[in-house]
């Protein structure tokens, strides 16, 4: 396996954690942990313009980060990772944040373009954390600028933003 591949995958998957409204950050210590990729099959071409495909119950773990997908395709261009595509019914990502809360995301397809630093979630995506949720059919997120666009394809998007200081009901209070 290309020694740079796990580092590139780590960067890509950690950036997916930025998809939650209110800018929740991934556990910073995760990027210093070893990455493990388990799958039923792997088919890799390590040429400058090659592709590596992991398939069959793909599970990628690094610290608190866990991604599950039917397939994970890593596409190289000129010796650098250009794109990583996770597919499944559904591809799932979960990670603990620095504030010890959890972020969960799922979509039929998670396509990260390393060159443009844009990740596109399509097919019944849902991103949730304690701070809020965003769901729909298509989300485009620029990890460099923080810009996020959802919808625009004729379907509805639902965003729920939780209050900053959401306190549990006091004992004996009616909800």
């Amino acid at each position: 396996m290309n020694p740079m591949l796990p580092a590139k995958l780590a960067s890509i998957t950690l950036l997916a954690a930025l998809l939650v409204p209110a800018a929740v950050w991934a556990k910073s210590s995760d990027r210093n942990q070893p990455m493990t990729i388990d799958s039923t099959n792997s088919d890799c071409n390590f040429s400058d313009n090659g592709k590596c495909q992991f398939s069959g119950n793909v599970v990628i773990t690094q610290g608190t980060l866990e991604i599950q997908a039917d397939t994970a395709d890593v596409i190289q261009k000129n010796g650098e990772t250009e794109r990583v595509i996770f597919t499944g019914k559904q591809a799932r990502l979960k990670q603990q944040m620095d504030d010890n809360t959890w972020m969960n995301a799922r979509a039929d397809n998670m396509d990260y373009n390393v060159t443009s630093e844009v990740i596109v979630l399509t097919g019944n995506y849902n991103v949730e954390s304690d701070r809020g949720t965003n769901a729909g059919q298509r989300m485009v997120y620029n990890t460099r600028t923080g810009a996020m666009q959802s919808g625009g394809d004729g379907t509805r998007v639902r965003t729920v933003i939780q209050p900053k200081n959401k306190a549990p009901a006091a004992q004996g209070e009616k909800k």
Side-chain angles (χ1 to χ4, degrees), residues 95-163:
Q95 185 168 33
Q96 189 174 29
M97 304 296 107
D98 277 334
D99 66 1
N100 291 322
T101 63
W102 286 87
M103 183 279 306
N104 293 286
R106 63 180 163 80
D108 292 342
N109 186 303
M110 297 180 186
D111 186 340
Y112 182 68
N113 185 310
V114 177
T115 306
S116 66
E117 297 182 46
V118 171
I119 187 165
V120 179
L121 275 68
T122 54
N124 300 309
Y125 80 84
N126 187 332
V127 181
E128 31 181 77
S129 77
D130 285 354
R131 295 187 184 177
T133 63
N134 187 275
Q137 291 302 310
R138 184 172 192 271
M139 172 194 277
V140 178
Y141 182 75
N142 185 313
T143 63
R144 187 178 335 130
T145 66
M148 178 181 78
Q149 295 87 34
S150 300
D153 57 358
T155 62
R156 304 279 295 163
V157 175
R158 172 167 272 197
T159 301
V160 177
I161 301 171
Q162 296 296 331

